[in-house]
Amino acid sequence: MEQYKQEFIEFMVESQVLKFGEFTLKSGRKSPFFMNAGAYVTGSQLGRLGEYYAKAIYDKYGLDFDVLFGPAYKGIPLAVATTMAISRLYGKNIRYCSNRKEVKDHGDAGILLGSRLKDGDRVVIIEDVTTSGKSIEETYPIIKAQADAKIVGLIVSLNRMEIGKSGKQSALEEIKELYHMETAAIVTMKEVVEYLYNRPCNGEVVIDDTIKVAIDAYYEQYGA
């Protein structure tokens, strides 16, 4: 596993973004793990997060794209932090763009924040996590309505590797098939479990034998 992936897994635990125990998700599923990207709140956390995204994007998509699009609201700081990291790490100035939830009719009018989209732009969408693909259903037509842009792909921080709406594939696989674009994550839950199982992180073992059994049972039922 790449060094940045190992560091990112530890970073999620240290930032209390990824927790293990017993949680009830919005879907009603009882999950042995929970991710809350809203726990990244400091400047240093966002700086590191942007660098992990930048490295994963570089691995998957290279630098052959023009715009990083972060859907409102959580995607806005992700897009900003990651474009800054791409500039710092790779010397490439990628433009950032996000949407507003409400169209602004004065001043900097319109539905977009940041860069305008232009015909021919190559766009990568950045999100925290995708469980059902609902966000892409909203984001894809917004981008396409603004310009004749090519959506290269989607990057998320964690691939939960759970079945999506179809009940057969993961949400990322469904998005790839439905929208004909690539999908990627900084890490997958499989990589997280393999790395953290019985390994001390931030002074404690967060995936011991009990949690590992619970995770295995969860994926037996909901895994893609």
Side-chain angles (χ1 to χ4, degrees):
M1 188 189 306
E2 293 89 337
Q3 181 68 28
Y4 77 85
K5 291 190 175 190
Q6 297 176 16
E7 292 176 3
F8 179 65
I9 292 169
E10 294 184 0
F11 174 59
M12 285 193 291
V13 175
E14 292 166 2
S15 302
Q16 297 188 25
V17 166
L18 183 61
K19 298 181 179 181
F20 298 90
E22 294 183 10
F23 306 93
T24 301
L25 307 180
K26 286 182 180 179
S27 62
R29 294 177 184 175
K30 303 289 185 180
S31 174
F33 62 91
F34 180 71
M35 181 193 172
N36 174 26
Y40 296 121
V41 293
T42 69
S44 62
Q45 285 175 330
L46 289 172
R48 289 181 64 187
L49 180 61
E51 291 189 354
Y52 293 129
Y53 267 112
K55 290 174 180 178
I57 289 171
Y58 183 78
D59 277 357
K60 177 67 177 183
Y61 302 112
L63 298 174
D64 187 21
F65 67 101
D66 309 292
V67 180
L68 192 60
F69 189 97
Y73 288 104
K74 286 185 178 179
I76 297 174
L78 297 181
V80 172
T82 305
T83 52
M84 292 172 69
I86 290 173
S87 174
R88 188 166 58 248
L89 293 175
Y90 304 111
K92 177 74 180 284
N93 275 324
I94 301 295
R95 290 143 47 211
Y96 101 88
C97 181
S98 297
N99 64 295
R100 293 183 170 98
K101 289 288 188 179
E102 303 83 17
V103 178
K104 188 178 178 184
D105 59 5
H106 61 281
D108 182 21
I111 197 171
L112 299 182
L113 290 168
S115 172
R116 296 300 179 199
L117 294 175
K118 301 180 294 188
D119 290 350
D121 275 342
R122 293 170 56 82
V123 180
V124 172
I125 301 171
I126 184 169
E127 292 201 271
D128 55 351
V129 66
T130 295
T131 304
S132 67
K134 186 175 186 299
S135 176
I136 295 298
E137 289 181 14
E138 300 171 353
T139 303
Y140 190 91
I142 289 174
I143 294 173
K144 285 298 187 179
Q146 300 302 309
D148 184 17
K150 176 177 175 55
I151 301 178
V152 176
L154 166 70
I155 182 80
V156 299
S157 62
L158 176 67
N159 180 357
R160 292 180 60 99
M161 301 179 69
E162 297 175 37
I163 52 176
K165 293 179 179 179
S166 68
K168 299 175 183 177
Q169 299 173 299
S170 71
L172 288 183
E173 289 169 334
E174 289 175 349
I175 289 168
K176 181 176 181 177
E177 190 172 285
L178 185 60
Y179 296 100
H180 307 290
M181 64 181 180
E182 294 299 315
T183 58
I186 301 176
V187 293
T188 67
M189 264 314 288
K190 181 180 180 181
E191 291 172 323
V192 170
V193 174
E194 287 177 351
Y195 182 74
L196 289 178
Y197 180 45
N198 281 336
R199 180 195 297 267
C201 181
N202 204 29
E204 65 174 320
V205 174
V206 292
I207 301 183
D208 56 16
D209 290 339
T210 302
I211 295 294
K212 178 66 161 56
V213 168
I215 291 172
D216 288 346
Y218 184 77
Y219 278 103
E220 188 70 31
Q221 184 173 5
Y222 299 116

